[in-house]
Amino acid sequence: MVDLIQKGAIWHESKRKAHRTVAVTVRRGGLEFTALATKGFYSSVAESTDGMIINERAEDYIIAVVNYDFANGKGPVEPEVGDFIYDSSSGSEVRMEVLPLAVEPAKRYSDSYRISWRIHTKETGNV
């Protein structure tokens, strides 16, 4: 039987890429690629073990799993802490670093079918 939810998730991914993306450049060491990404944000409030309130916000980028590929013969790879995403969509290029949050890893799948990555970043400077 056809999984209609999976079929819908694939359709949704095609619409996201067609209508809600910006071109970004991803760099790791001397490797780089350009991909279409949807910008978003993540916000959380948590309490540390010593009772401090941690309010955290990160800029997120959603990138298709198949497009996270440095074309170095390894095929698509997972985002890693320390990857940089260069975003020029606001007019000036901003460098965003892939970093974990206090309560979340740096990346996770954005859907149960593992079609896209949701990547948490922090701004580390204008270029």
Side-chain angles (χ1 to χ4, degrees), residues 17-117:
K17 286 171 74 175
H19 301 291
R20 286 285 293 142
T21 56
V22 296
V24 297
T25 300
V26 180
R27 292 187 183 136
R28 177 185 296 166
L31 302 173
E32 72 175 49
F33 66 88
T34 300
L36 295 176
T38 299
K39 294 170 57 171
F41 71 93
Y42 176 87
S43 182
S44 73
V45 177
E47 185 175 343
S48 69
T49 56
D50 58 353
M52 303 248 335
I53 301 297
I54 301 168
N55 187 0
E56 195 162 31
R57 180 180 164 95
E59 298 296 320
D60 285 357
Y61 290 87
I62 299 173
I63 299 175
V65 169
V66 298
N67 296 134
Y68 210 92
D69 187 347
F70 291 100
N72 58 355
K74 296 181 181 179
V77 295
E78 292 189 10
E80 291 183 359
V81 171
D83 287 355
F84 290 99
I85 297 176
Y86 292 82
D87 181 353
S88 301
S89 64
S90 64
S92 62
E93 189 169 75
V94 178
R95 182 177 67 191
M96 308 297 285
E97 185 173 355
V98 176
L99 292 169
L101 303 176
V103 296
E104 288 238 353
K107 62 29 172 130
R108 64 180 166 85
Y109 292 107
S110 68
D111 58 277
S112 59
Y113 294 101
R114 299 180 174 199
I115 296 170
S116 299
W117 289 113

